[in-house]
Amino acid sequence: LHATVDLDAYVAAHLIAQSAIDLVMWQASIENATPTLAKLISLVVRDKARMIAVGWTQMRERIPQRDDVGLRLIARTVSDVWHTEELKGRQVPVFLGSGEDRDRLLAAHELAATAGLGGVVGDDQRRVAQDAISDVAARFHQLGVEIDVHR
């Protein structure tokens, strides 16, 4: 965070939008984890959910105070993070372009899932990430912020 960065936009994009994808990936990995590892992952999930809840609390309090320019800044910042980072494979390898890196990362997730280490496999990655994006966009819509999900 830099002093010139709008705090509300930062919280919306990073504490909520990016963390929501991270959260659902962790949640989805539980079904491919041993019982002991699933317990540990559930602690990570609990803490991530709590962190995201703090972000939503800030948004509910701050968004009504923002003018149209501020609301568009929040929307653009969230959309930028999704389209320049998350949908480019930052946390979800299935979104990477074709190539060796993508293939290796997808294979690693498959191996982790098979071994009970909690990986999320192939199209499940896409589904859970896109569901998180849709859920976050819907919640922002309820607060009066329209996020461009399909640019």
Side-chain angles (χ1 to χ4, degrees):
L1 181 61
H2 190 273
T4 61
V5 173
D6 182 274
L7 180 60
D8 293 334
Y10 182 88
V11 167
H14 299 284
L15 193 66
I16 295 173
Q18 276 186 325
S19 295
I21 294 171
D22 193 29
L23 173 67
V24 296
M25 291 296 287
W26 279 105
Q27 287 172 322
S29 73
I30 289 174
E31 67 187 58
N32 293 322
T34 64
T36 301
L37 189 54
K39 175 78 170 155
L40 291 172
I41 293 170
S42 70
L43 296 174
V44 172
V45 165
R46 181 196 65 197
D47 290 345
K48 288 208 169 285
R50 184 174 28 220
M51 179 180 72
I52 294 167
V54 167
W56 282 117
T57 297
Q58 179 171 335
M59 291 297 100
R60 282 191 305 277
E61 292 177 9
R62 296 282 302 144
I63 284 175
Q65 301 171 29
R66 300 301 300 255
D67 61 12
D68 287 342
V69 172
L71 297 178
R72 284 192 304 273
L73 175 62
I74 290 168
R76 186 177 62 248
T77 305
V78 170
S79 183
D80 286 349
V81 164
W82 279 340
H83 292 282
T84 64
E85 296 178 33
E86 300 306 325
L87 295 173
K88 300 284 187 197
R90 180 180 169 273
Q91 297 184 82
V92 185
V94 76
F95 291 132
L96 288 170
S98 61
E100 284 184 37
D101 289 343
R102 179 182 192 269
D103 294 344
R104 280 196 303 266
L105 285 168
L106 290 173
H109 277 261
E110 181 77 38
L111 180 62
T114 302
L117 300 176
V120 182
V121 182
D123 283 334
D124 288 343
Q125 291 179 6
R126 181 183 314 278
R127 180 186 49 77
V128 297
Q130 288 176 330
D131 287 351
I133 289 169
S134 295
D135 291 346
V136 168
R139 286 189 72 179
F140 272 113
H141 172 76
Q142 292 172 346
L143 294 173
V145 179
E146 300 303 323
I147 310 293
D148 183 0
V149 177
H150 303 291
R151 73 174 193 196

